[in-house]
Amino acid sequence: MSNFRKTALFLSVMNETTKHQGLRRQLIETLRVKGIQSEEVLNVMLEVPRHFFMDPSLINFAYEDNAYPIAAEQTISQPYTVAFQSELLAVTEGHKVLEIGTGSGYQTAVLLGLTPQVYTIERQHALFKQTQRLFAQLGYRTKKQVFGDGYKGLPTDAPFDRILVTAGAPAVPKTLLNQLAVGGKLVIPLGEKEQIMTRYIRTSKTTFDKQEFGVFRFVPMLENKN
Ligand code: SAH
């Protein structure tokens, strides 16, 4: 991180004000109007300071309901999408959750508001390093933050009660279905150009229910070539 970026980040961290709290309250009302109902998710999103997770040049847009560019040509997800995925995931405290695609770390922070057992994987090294620093600065403690390929999941820590993929996958990775606990839920956007939000529920060791929830747009879930 450049010195300029460090300074900008420091200033933004020092800049959590009543203005931001007010903007977050408005954002939460927007999410309600758009159909988000989970009070748990809305309460957590009322607290997580999204402006810390933005590119410093875009901080003024932190509480707009839009996705924005971050480093490594990736995006911070739209708040509505974060709320929608979190609601579908239905996390309760004590759930062990795996997130694929740490990105800006914003969704990770929302998950940490729902359960302390969060594992997250990112394949872009710049984002991995950036969020490592940011989580330390803000006091967010994941169980594990991994630089690696989400297609592999985390076999040593499986099974997971919940798995959340925050990038668009062409097809559901079998590895991730296998790392789900019986009764567990996997939320994943599936498709190439646009994605259908999909939820799998593991109903037994060998069976899964599949549900679909409308169209979204994500950056692609990429496989590492090694
Ligand atoms: N939850 C993030 C979303 C970031 S965009 C946020 O709100 O900021 C999706 C992220 O998934 C990108 O950072 C991208 O690099 C990452 N990604 C794509 N394919 C991946 C893979 N195979 N393993 C891990 N991360 C992946």
Side-chain angles (χ1 to χ4, degrees), residues 54-55 58 67-71 73-76:
M54 300 283 290
D55 185 279
L58 296 168
Y68 289 99
I70 53 175
E73 295 178 356
Q74 304 303 316
T75 53
I76 177 168

Side-chain angles (χ1 to χ4, degrees), residues 57-95:
S57 66
L58 296 168
I59 276 176
N60 288 343
F61 301 104
Y63 298 105
E64 300 291 323
D65 189 20
N66 289 317
Y68 289 99
I70 53 175
E73 295 178 356
Q74 304 303 316
T75 53
I76 177 168
S77 295
Q78 183 182 344
Y80 175 71
T81 304
V82 170
F84 194 90
Q85 289 202 291
S86 303
E87 183 164 88
L88 283 185
L89 208 59
V91 177
T92 57
E93 203 177 332
H95 274 160

Side-chain angles (χ1 to χ4, degrees), residues 42-168:
L42 292 171
N43 281 338
V44 170
M45 290 182 70
L46 185 60
E47 299 302 323
V48 177
R50 188 174 187 244
H51 59 287
F52 296 162
F53 298 87
M54 300 283 290
D55 185 279
S57 66
L58 296 168
I59 276 176
N60 288 343
F61 301 104
Y63 298 105
E64 300 291 323
D65 189 20
N66 289 317
Y68 289 99
I70 53 175
E73 295 178 356
Q74 304 303 316
T75 53
I76 177 168
S77 295
Q78 183 182 344
Y80 175 71
T81 304
V82 170
F84 194 90
Q85 289 202 291
S86 303
E87 183 164 88
L88 283 185
L89 208 59
V91 177
T92 57
E93 203 177 332
H95 274 160
K96 202 162 132 187
V97 182
L98 172 64
E99 177 194 29
I100 312 296
T102 317
S104 68
Y106 176 66
Q107 171 77 73
T108 322
V110 171
L111 293 173
L112 279 167
L114 298 166
T115 180
Q117 297 206 59
V118 178
Y119 299 71
T120 185
I121 309 179
E122 172 57 55
R123 67 181 292 281
Q124 293 283 352
H125 196 254
L127 290 172
F128 167 72
K129 294 304 286 179
Q130 192 177 306
T131 47
Q132 247 188 346
R133 257 191 305 262
L134 185 63
F135 290 156
Q137 272 167 326
L138 299 178
Y140 286 107
R141 299 170 79 104
T142 57
K143 282 280 167 194
K144 247 183 215 179
Q145 202 188 339
V146 178
F147 169 56
D149 182 5
Y151 275 97
K152 299 193 172 75
L154 272 187
T156 48
D157 296 287
F160 293 95
D161 302 300
R162 300 288 186 263
I163 301 178
L164 176 60
V165 179
T166 70

